[in-house]
Amino acid sequence: MAAPKKGKSASAQSKPGRSLALILIAIVALTGGMFASGHTTPRLGIDLAGGTSITLRAVPEAGQQSAINKTNMDTAVEIMERRVNGLGVSESEVQTQGDRNIIVNIPKGTNSGEAREQVGTTAKLYFRPVVATELSGANATGSPSPSEAGGDSDKATDKATDGATDGDKATDDKATDGDTPSDSASASATTQGRAASDALKADPSPSASASDGASPSPSASDGASPSPSASGGDDATAKLQEQYAALDCTDQDARAKAGDGAKPGDSMVACGQNSQGQWQKYILGAAAVDGTEVDDAEAVYNTQTAAGWTVTMKFTDKGATKFADITGQLAKNQSPQNQFAIVLDNEVVSDPYVSQALTGGNAEISGSFDQEEAQGLANMLSYGALPLTFKEDSVTTVTAALGGEQLKAGLIAGAIGLALVVLYLLFYYRGLSFIAVASLLVSAGLTYVIMSLLGPTIGFALNLPAVCGAIVAIGITADSFIVYFERVRDEIREGRTLRPAVERAWPRARRTILVSDFVSFLAAAVLFVVSVGKVQGFAFTLGLTTLLDVVVVFLFTKPLLTLMARRKFFASGHKWSGFDPKSLGVKPPLRRTRRPSRPAAGPVDPKEA
């Protein structure tokens, strides 16, 4: 006869150590990552650790008192919340107070300074053509002539167009057509000092003739002041030139006052930092595109052209037309008049150049960005335009809303719940409680390590509802163990020994555990999507611990029980093992006795005593 085929389960039964080794490696790797990152404790939310509270007051523009209304305030709250959350501050609270105040609460442990910059300075975002630019203050090293500057820019353009990797050495950012990210675009803002040319015009878009006519230029000894232009007799132009000459962007007060009072249709002076962190000053033309006409912006890692981190922009229909017009005009000019400045709160946050009209409503800004810089610029472009102007009334550091005592009370409640579960397991399952408690400890350890890593990774902050979710998860995890243990006991009650019972019970228990955890995870996911604020912390923690329950049961609990079933203490049904046949009500099978054989035929004579 042919030998019977071995089932797949035989190999799985004999090698439970593989699963245990896998989860052990995962625990060690995650723990090592936690210590390597330096974040060994979960980041706490504002209700547990305190944080920064910013009060912003809505200020309408002149003659627009009706702009302060519920619709605009709600829109401002939504945009501010998205901007702060875009920085990874997922536990932030943004809410209205009264009819004109907005309160922004930022948890301790986040970059509150960066959040203040993006939330507190909530003016308008504009795209303006660059008329002149140069290094400012102590950074200025002299001003080459416009022809020299243009030559440098052309060289950088050739390298960028050809895809040369060293082009970024002379460039900052470059704007390209989003549909042709390879060779189609651009040049970038130079990082050298430049003499201001005589290209300042009333037209917000400097023309090619203005750029080409910029041959006369002041020498380095003449300073950085712009030369008189064809309209130099105009008082506004002369005043703007004086402001530009006197502007020192290394002075914080001077930067704050630069561009004050300038309207979208006016030319202005402004400051900005280049990729080397040096301050540059600018003369900018009238706003060509409003920030509200940017439909979406996103930081993307471009692997097709090896451009690294880039920022893609999508404009509205109206914005796409304006952007195509201005880039078409700028592309005819020499540097720096082929650049446009992205201006937020009167500060230049980026000044890419163009070499052709960018049509189609999509554009890409590329350069020597890292991920943080690209995401910061994308946030400004996406959320830079608010319907109101806000002034920062106060910034205060607040203590925890509920304080350390509430956190302590929550931890005590969790400890009591865990202790009650352990006592129940000891009383009812006896030796099996060792496996259950070990599984609970593994689940708790994984939860702690992952929460610690999620803080710096995605900005997860542990709040009181999240603590409640972790406490509820104790019951969910214990329930999975109980389902499996009871299935094994049912098999033993049917007369099977422990080792076969462990394997036969697993398929049925596994199905029940997966269905139960799927329902819990689905509820957590729905709650996370439809809820806001702190309730999301509860839903997130509940979903995370439900997934970890599946991992622990499959890779730890079942393999460990398989190993323990080979030990005499459990296999023999010791009364403290949890598998005692008497306590489970198992009746030993009746042994059959051999019946006496009947005589072949005829009566049998009884023997005499």
Side-chain angles (χ1 to χ4, degrees):
M1 292 178 64
K5 296 182 179 180
K6 294 183 178 180
K8 294 183 179 180
S9 60
S11 176
Q13 290 182 37
S14 60
K15 298 178 181 179
R18 289 185 177 181
S19 300
L20 294 174
L22 180 61
I23 195 170
L24 178 62
I25 292 172
I27 293 173
V28 172
L30 290 172
T31 305
M34 179 184 70
F35 282 101
S37 67
H39 298 83
T40 56
T41 57
R43 195 169 65 113
L44 300 180
I46 195 170
D47 58 348
L48 298 178
T52 302
S53 179
I54 305 171
T55 302
L56 301 173
R57 176 170 49 87
V59 179
E61 297 181 2
Q64 298 185 5
Q65 297 295 330
S66 60
I68 301 181
N69 54 55
K70 186 177 186 305
T71 300
N72 284 349
M73 292 293 286
D74 290 343
T75 302
V77 167
E78 180 181 357
I79 294 176
M80 286 184 186
E81 189 169 26
R82 292 174 64 188
R83 291 179 70 177
V84 177
N85 289 340
L87 297 172
V89 190
S90 61
E91 186 58 21
S92 62
E93 295 177 351
V94 183
Q95 55 190 0
T96 56
Q97 186 180 69
D99 60 348
R100 63 178 58 219
N101 292 330
I102 292 180
I103 307 297
V104 182
N105 293 323
I106 304 170
K108 182 180 178 181
T110 60
N111 192 337
S112 59
E114 187 176 0
R116 283 181 60 189
E117 290 179 4
Q118 293 223 22
V119 175
T121 55
T122 51
K124 304 291 185 179
L125 181 79
Y126 296 105
F127 293 74
R128 292 175 177 267
V130 175
V131 177
T133 181
E134 64 179 274
L135 293 176
S136 180
N139 295 323
T141 58
S143 301
S145 68
S147 59
E148 292 171 352
D152 291 342
S153 179
D154 291 341
K155 181 179 180 181
T157 303
D158 294 338
K159 290 183 178 179
T161 303
D162 295 336
T165 57
D166 58 347
D168 286 342
K169 294 180 180 178
T171 65
D172 180 16
D173 306 322
K174 61 183 178 181
T176 71
D177 192 324
D179 295 333
T180 56
S182 55
D183 293 333
S184 61
S186 26
S188 83
T190 62
T191 59
Q192 306 176 26
R194 298 186 184 282
S197 70
D198 59 350
L200 186 61
K201 302 290 182 183
D203 186 346
S205 303
S207 65
S209 60
S211 177
D212 296 337
S215 56
S217 65
S219 64
S221 61
D222 292 334
S225 60
S227 305
S229 65
S231 58
D234 185 80
D235 292 339
T237 301
K239 183 178 180 181
L240 191 65
Q241 292 172 342
E242 292 175 2
Q243 293 176 353
Y244 180 75
L247 180 60
D248 181 6
C249 290
T250 60
D251 184 353
Q252 184 175 359
D253 293 335
R255 292 198 304 269
K257 295 178 182 178
D260 274 356
K263 297 180 180 179
D266 297 338
S267 297
M268 62 177 290
V269 295
C271 296
Q273 280 186 299
N274 59 26
S275 59
Q276 284 75 35
Q278 299 171 319
W279 284 103
Q280 289 188 214
K281 58 183 178 180
Y282 297 82
I283 295 180
L284 305 176
V289 183
D290 193 286
T292 56
E293 293 166 335
V294 177
D295 188 43
D296 189 25
E298 185 178 3
V300 178
Y301 190 80
N302 192 329
T303 57
Q304 295 181 351
T305 62
W309 283 99
T310 63
V311 178
T312 59
M313 296 183 294
K314 181 180 179 182
F315 292 89
T316 62
D317 293 341
K318 184 178 179 182
T321 301
K322 292 182 179 180
F323 191 69
D325 291 342
I326 185 63
T327 53
Q329 296 178 42
L330 293 177
K332 302 174 184 178
N333 302 334
Q334 294 181 356
S335 180
Q337 292 151 33
N338 63 348
Q339 300 170 217
F340 65 87
I342 301 172
V343 185
L344 177 65
D345 301 337
N346 294 336
E347 181 177 325
V348 177
V349 296
S350 183
D351 58 350
Y353 69 82
V354 294
S355 59
Q356 64 181 33
L358 304 181
T359 59
N362 296 308
E364 180 183 77
I365 301 176
S366 61
S368 53
F369 290 123
D370 58 25
Q371 182 178 2
E372 183 178 356
E373 291 170 343
Q375 288 179 342
L377 179 57
N379 284 339
M380 292 177 186
L381 291 170
S382 296
Y383 319 130
L386 290 174
L388 296 169
T389 299
F390 288 87
K391 297 294 182 181
E392 194 175 89
D393 266 1
S394 64
V395 178
T396 56
T397 300
V398 297
T399 58
L402 297 176
E405 293 184 358
Q406 295 296 332
L407 175 61
K408 183 179 179 180
L411 294 177
I412 291 175
I416 292 174
L418 180 61
L420 290 175
V421 170
V422 171
L423 288 175
Y424 169 79
L425 292 173
L426 285 171
F427 174 77
Y428 191 74
Y429 288 107
R430 301 185 181 183
L432 274 177
S433 61
F434 162 75
I435 299 174
V437 172
S439 300
L440 284 173
L441 292 177
V442 170
S443 180
L446 284 173
T447 303
Y448 180 88
V449 172
I450 291 176
M451 284 185 175
S452 300
L453 291 173
L454 290 179
T457 305
I458 65 172
F460 172 76
L462 186 67
N463 55 19
L464 273 182
V467 173
C468 294
I471 294 174
V472 171
I474 297 174
I476 295 176
T477 306
D479 182 63
S480 298
F481 308 153
I482 291 172
V483 168
Y484 185 30
F485 294 163
E486 289 302 320
R487 290 293 188 187
V488 175
R489 286 182 157 196
D490 288 342
E491 295 294 332
I492 293 177
R493 290 188 182 97
E494 292 178 4
R496 293 182 177 86
T497 57
L498 181 58
R499 291 182 65 175
V502 167
E503 299 304 326
R504 288 180 62 90
W506 174 240
R508 299 171 63 189
R510 177 179 59 199
R511 190 181 309 112
T512 304
I513 292 170
L514 288 176
V515 171
S516 175
D517 283 343
F518 174 77
V519 172
S520 297
F521 182 80
L522 183 62
V526 172
L527 184 62
F528 183 85
V529 172
V530 302
S531 63
V532 294
K534 292 185 175 67
V535 180
Q536 286 186 328
F538 173 84
F540 182 85
T541 306
L542 184 61
L544 173 65
T545 50
T546 301
L547 291 177
L548 289 179
D549 174 49
V550 176
V551 173
V552 171
V553 170
F554 275 69
L555 298 182
F556 185 81
T557 306
K558 198 275 178 180
L560 184 61
L561 183 56
T562 301
L563 289 178
M564 292 298 102
R566 301 173 182 177
R567 300 295 182 268
K568 184 178 180 181
F569 177 78
F570 288 97
S572 63
H574 192 279
K575 65 178 181 180
W576 290 104
S577 67
F579 296 120
D580 181 20
K582 292 183 179 180
S583 62
L584 295 179
V586 178
K587 295 181 178 180
L590 296 175
R591 293 188 177 183
R592 296 181 178 180
T593 58
R594 182 175 297 178
R595 296 180 179 179
S597 58
R598 294 182 179 179
V604 177
D605 294 333
K607 295 182 179 181
E608 294 182 359

Short mmCIF file of all heavy atoms in Angstrom, two decimals, residues 178-223:
data_model
loop_
_atom_site.label_atom_id
_atom_site.label_comp_id
_atom_site.label_asym_id
_atom_site.label_seq_id
_atom_site.Cartn_x
_atom_site.Cartn_y
_atom_site.Cartn_z
N GLY A 178 3.86 70.88 -15.09
CA GLY A 178 3.62 69.61 -14.45
C GLY A 178 3.43 68.47 -15.41
O GLY A 178 3.64 67.32 -15.08
N ASP A 179 3.07 68.76 -16.66
CA ASP A 179 2.87 67.69 -17.62
C ASP A 179 4.18 67.24 -18.24
O ASP A 179 4.27 66.17 -18.81
CB ASP A 179 1.91 68.16 -18.74
CG ASP A 179 0.53 68.42 -18.18
OD1 ASP A 179 0.17 67.79 -17.17
OD2 ASP A 179 -0.18 69.24 -18.77
N THR A 180 5.21 68.07 -18.21
CA THR A 180 6.50 67.72 -18.80
C THR A 180 7.58 67.95 -17.78
O THR A 180 8.30 68.94 -17.81
CB THR A 180 6.76 68.58 -20.05
OG1 THR A 180 6.67 69.96 -19.69
CG2 THR A 180 5.77 68.28 -21.14
N PRO A 181 7.72 67.07 -16.78
CA PRO A 181 8.64 67.32 -15.69
C PRO A 181 10.09 67.08 -16.03
O PRO A 181 10.94 67.27 -15.20
CB PRO A 181 8.16 66.32 -14.64
CG PRO A 181 7.54 65.22 -15.41
CD PRO A 181 6.95 65.85 -16.62
N SER A 182 10.40 66.62 -17.23
CA SER A 182 11.78 66.24 -17.50
C SER A 182 12.64 67.40 -17.92
O SER A 182 13.43 67.91 -17.15
CB SER A 182 11.79 65.13 -18.55
OG SER A 182 11.09 65.52 -19.70
N ASP A 183 12.51 67.88 -19.19
CA ASP A 183 13.42 68.88 -19.69
C ASP A 183 12.73 70.20 -19.99
O ASP A 183 13.35 71.10 -20.50
CB ASP A 183 14.08 68.38 -20.99
CG ASP A 183 15.01 67.22 -20.72
OD1 ASP A 183 15.52 67.10 -19.61
OD2 ASP A 183 15.20 66.43 -21.64
N SER A 184 11.46 70.32 -19.74
CA SER A 184 10.72 71.44 -20.28
C SER A 184 10.89 72.70 -19.49
O SER A 184 10.53 73.73 -19.95
CB SER A 184 9.26 71.08 -20.35
OG SER A 184 8.77 70.81 -19.09
N ALA A 185 11.36 72.70 -18.28
CA ALA A 185 11.23 73.94 -17.60
C ALA A 185 12.51 74.58 -17.25
O ALA A 185 13.46 74.18 -17.29
CB ALA A 185 10.44 73.80 -16.36
N SER A 186 12.95 75.18 -16.99
CA SER A 186 13.23 76.16 -16.12
C SER A 186 14.56 76.57 -15.73
O SER A 186 15.55 76.00 -15.94
CB SER A 186 12.56 75.92 -14.87
OG SER A 186 12.25 74.73 -14.52
N ALA A 187 14.51 77.57 -15.06
CA ALA A 187 15.69 78.14 -14.49
C ALA A 187 15.39 78.35 -13.06
O ALA A 187 14.33 78.10 -12.62
CB ALA A 187 15.94 79.45 -15.14
N SER A 188 16.34 78.86 -12.28
CA SER A 188 16.01 79.07 -10.90
C SER A 188 16.54 80.38 -10.41
O SER A 188 17.32 81.02 -11.06
CB SER A 188 16.57 77.98 -10.04
OG SER A 188 17.87 78.24 -9.75
N ALA A 189 16.08 80.74 -9.20
CA ALA A 189 16.53 81.99 -8.64
C ALA A 189 17.99 81.91 -8.30
O ALA A 189 18.42 81.00 -7.65
CB ALA A 189 15.73 82.28 -7.39
N THR A 190 18.75 82.86 -8.75
CA THR A 190 20.18 82.83 -8.45
C THR A 190 20.42 83.20 -7.02
O THR A 190 19.65 83.92 -6.41
CB THR A 190 20.94 83.82 -9.34
OG1 THR A 190 20.48 85.13 -9.06
CG2 THR A 190 20.75 83.51 -10.80
N THR A 191 21.52 82.72 -6.47
CA THR A 191 21.86 83.02 -5.09
C THR A 191 22.95 84.07 -5.00
O THR A 191 23.48 84.31 -3.93
CB THR A 191 22.34 81.74 -4.39
OG1 THR A 191 23.47 81.24 -5.10
CG2 THR A 191 21.25 80.68 -4.38
N GLN A 192 23.31 84.68 -6.13
CA GLN A 192 24.32 85.72 -6.11
C GLN A 192 23.66 87.06 -5.91
O GLN A 192 22.49 87.28 -6.17
CB GLN A 192 25.08 85.73 -7.44
CG GLN A 192 25.67 84.36 -7.82
CD GLN A 192 26.30 84.43 -9.19
OE1 GLN A 192 26.72 85.49 -9.61
NE2 GLN A 192 26.37 83.32 -9.85
N GLY A 193 24.47 88.04 -5.45
CA GLY A 193 23.97 89.40 -5.35
C GLY A 193 23.82 90.00 -6.74
O GLY A 193 24.59 89.73 -7.63
N ARG A 194 22.81 90.84 -6.92
CA ARG A 194 22.57 91.44 -8.23
C ARG A 194 22.31 92.93 -8.06
O ARG A 194 21.68 93.35 -7.10
CB ARG A 194 21.36 90.81 -8.91
CG ARG A 194 21.53 89.33 -9.18
CD ARG A 194 20.34 88.85 -9.99
NE ARG A 194 20.39 87.42 -10.20
CZ ARG A 194 21.16 86.83 -11.09
NH1 ARG A 194 21.96 87.53 -11.84
NH2 ARG A 194 21.14 85.52 -11.22
N ALA A 195 22.74 93.69 -9.04
CA ALA A 195 22.34 95.10 -9.08
C ALA A 195 20.92 95.18 -9.59
O ALA A 195 20.52 94.44 -10.48
CB ALA A 195 23.27 95.86 -10.01
N ALA A 196 20.13 96.04 -8.99
CA ALA A 196 18.76 96.21 -9.46
C ALA A 196 18.78 96.90 -10.81
O ALA A 196 19.43 97.91 -11.00
CB ALA A 196 17.96 97.04 -8.47
N SER A 197 18.09 96.33 -11.77
CA SER A 197 18.07 96.88 -13.12
C SER A 197 17.05 97.99 -13.21
O SER A 197 16.32 98.29 -12.26
CB SER A 197 17.78 95.78 -14.13
OG SER A 197 16.45 95.38 -13.98
N ASP A 198 16.97 98.58 -14.38
CA ASP A 198 16.01 99.67 -14.60
C ASP A 198 14.73 99.13 -15.20
O ASP A 198 14.12 99.75 -16.05
CB ASP A 198 16.61 100.74 -15.51
CG ASP A 198 17.01 100.19 -16.86
OD1 ASP A 198 17.00 98.95 -17.03
OD2 ASP A 198 17.33 101.01 -17.74
N ALA A 199 14.34 97.92 -14.77
CA ALA A 199 13.17 97.29 -15.38
C ALA A 199 11.89 97.54 -14.63
O ALA A 199 10.89 96.91 -14.92
CB ALA A 199 13.41 95.78 -15.48
N LEU A 200 11.89 98.41 -13.63
CA LEU A 200 10.68 98.64 -12.84
C LEU A 200 9.66 99.38 -13.69
O LEU A 200 9.91 100.48 -14.16
CB LEU A 200 11.02 99.44 -11.59
CG LEU A 200 9.89 99.64 -10.60
CD1 LEU A 200 9.39 98.31 -10.09
CD2 LEU A 200 10.33 100.53 -9.46
N LYS A 201 8.53 98.77 -13.95
CA LYS A 201 7.50 99.34 -14.80
C LYS A 201 6.17 99.33 -14.06
O LYS A 201 5.95 98.61 -13.10
CB LYS A 201 7.36 98.52 -16.09
CG LYS A 201 8.65 98.44 -16.90
CD LYS A 201 9.03 99.76 -17.50
CE LYS A 201 10.29 99.64 -18.34
NZ LYS A 201 10.69 100.94 -18.88
N ALA A 202 5.25 100.14 -14.58
CA ALA A 202 3.90 100.11 -14.00
C ALA A 202 3.19 98.81 -14.34
O ALA A 202 2.36 98.32 -13.60
CB ALA A 202 3.10 101.29 -14.52
N ASP A 203 3.55 98.23 -15.50
CA ASP A 203 2.99 96.93 -15.89
C ASP A 203 3.46 95.87 -14.91
O ASP A 203 4.64 95.75 -14.67
CB ASP A 203 3.48 96.60 -17.30
CG ASP A 203 2.82 95.34 -17.86
OD1 ASP A 203 2.20 94.60 -17.08
OD2 ASP A 203 2.97 95.12 -19.07
N PRO A 204 2.55 95.09 -14.32
CA PRO A 204 2.99 94.10 -13.34
C PRO A 204 3.87 93.03 -13.93
O PRO A 204 4.56 92.34 -13.21
CB PRO A 204 1.67 93.49 -12.84
CG PRO A 204 0.68 93.78 -13.91
CD PRO A 204 1.10 95.08 -14.50
N SER A 205 3.88 92.86 -15.23
CA SER A 205 4.70 91.86 -15.87
C SER A 205 5.78 92.54 -16.69
O SER A 205 5.50 93.11 -17.73
CB SER A 205 3.86 90.96 -16.78
OG SER A 205 2.83 90.38 -16.05
N PRO A 206 7.04 92.51 -16.25
CA PRO A 206 8.09 93.17 -17.00
C PRO A 206 8.23 92.56 -18.37
O PRO A 206 8.16 91.36 -18.55
CB PRO A 206 9.34 92.92 -16.15
CG PRO A 206 9.01 91.79 -15.27
CD PRO A 206 7.55 91.82 -15.07
N SER A 207 8.41 93.43 -19.36
CA SER A 207 8.48 92.96 -20.74
C SER A 207 9.89 92.60 -21.12
O SER A 207 10.85 92.91 -20.44
CB SER A 207 7.96 94.06 -21.68
OG SER A 207 8.81 95.18 -21.61
N ALA A 208 10.00 91.94 -22.27
CA ALA A 208 11.31 91.56 -22.75
C ALA A 208 12.15 92.76 -23.08
O ALA A 208 13.35 92.80 -22.83
CB ALA A 208 11.16 90.66 -23.98
N SER A 209 11.54 93.83 -23.63
CA SER A 209 12.31 95.02 -23.96
C SER A 209 12.85 95.68 -22.72
O SER A 209 13.94 96.24 -22.73
CB SER A 209 11.42 96.00 -24.74
OG SER A 209 10.30 96.38 -23.95
N ALA A 210 12.09 95.61 -21.64
CA ALA A 210 12.60 96.19 -20.41
C ALA A 210 13.81 95.45 -19.94
O ALA A 210 14.76 96.02 -19.44
CB ALA A 210 11.50 96.17 -19.35
N SER A 211 13.76 94.13 -20.07
CA SER A 211 14.91 93.35 -19.63
C SER A 211 16.09 93.56 -20.54
O SER A 211 17.22 93.68 -20.09
CB SER A 211 14.53 91.87 -19.59
OG SER A 211 15.63 91.10 -19.24
N ASP A 212 15.83 93.58 -21.85
CA ASP A 212 16.93 93.72 -22.78
C ASP A 212 17.55 95.09 -22.71
O ASP A 212 18.73 95.27 -23.03
CB ASP A 212 16.44 93.44 -24.21
CG ASP A 212 15.97 92.02 -24.36
OD1 ASP A 212 16.42 91.17 -23.56
OD2 ASP A 212 15.17 91.76 -25.27
N GLY A 213 16.77 96.08 -22.30
CA GLY A 213 17.30 97.41 -22.23
C GLY A 213 18.02 97.71 -20.96
O GLY A 213 18.30 98.86 -20.65
N ALA A 214 18.33 96.69 -20.20
CA ALA A 214 18.94 96.91 -18.89
C ALA A 214 20.44 96.87 -18.96
O ALA A 214 21.10 96.50 -18.02
CB ALA A 214 18.41 95.86 -17.92
N SER A 215 21.03 97.26 -20.09
CA SER A 215 22.47 97.18 -20.19
C SER A 215 23.21 98.13 -19.28
O SER A 215 24.18 97.74 -18.65
CB SER A 215 22.89 97.40 -21.66
OG SER A 215 22.39 98.62 -22.13
N PRO A 216 22.82 99.41 -19.15
CA PRO A 216 23.55 100.24 -18.21
C PRO A 216 23.23 99.82 -16.81
O PRO A 216 22.09 99.59 -16.46
CB PRO A 216 23.04 101.67 -18.51
CG PRO A 216 21.73 101.49 -19.20
CD PRO A 216 21.77 100.18 -19.87
N SER A 217 24.22 99.73 -15.99
CA SER A 217 24.01 99.32 -14.61
C SER A 217 25.02 100.00 -13.73
O SER A 217 26.11 100.36 -14.15
CB SER A 217 24.14 97.81 -14.48
OG SER A 217 25.45 97.45 -14.78
N PRO A 218 24.70 100.17 -12.46
CA PRO A 218 25.64 100.78 -11.55
C PRO A 218 26.76 99.83 -11.25
O PRO A 218 26.62 98.63 -11.29
CB PRO A 218 24.77 101.05 -10.31
CG PRO A 218 23.67 100.07 -10.41
CD PRO A 218 23.44 99.83 -11.85
N SER A 219 27.87 100.37 -10.94
CA SER A 219 29.00 99.55 -10.54
C SER A 219 28.84 99.13 -9.11
O SER A 219 27.96 99.58 -8.41
CB SER A 219 30.31 100.33 -10.71
OG SER A 219 30.32 101.44 -9.85
N ALA A 220 29.73 98.25 -8.63
CA ALA A 220 29.65 97.79 -7.26
C ALA A 220 29.81 98.93 -6.29
O ALA A 220 29.25 98.95 -5.22
CB ALA A 220 30.73 96.73 -7.01
N SER A 221 30.57 99.95 -6.67
CA SER A 221 30.78 101.08 -5.75
C SER A 221 29.55 101.94 -5.63
O SER A 221 29.42 102.73 -4.71
CB SER A 221 31.96 101.92 -6.25
OG SER A 221 31.67 102.43 -7.55
N ASP A 222 28.64 101.84 -6.57
CA ASP A 222 27.44 102.66 -6.52
C ASP A 222 26.41 102.12 -5.55
O ASP A 222 25.37 102.70 -5.35
CB ASP A 222 26.80 102.75 -7.92
CG ASP A 222 27.67 103.53 -8.86
OD1 ASP A 222 28.44 104.38 -8.36
OD2 ASP A 222 27.60 103.30 -10.08
N GLY A 223 26.69 100.97 -4.93
CA GLY A 223 25.74 100.37 -4.01
C GLY A 223 24.71 99.58 -4.74
O GLY A 223 24.79 99.30 -5.90
#
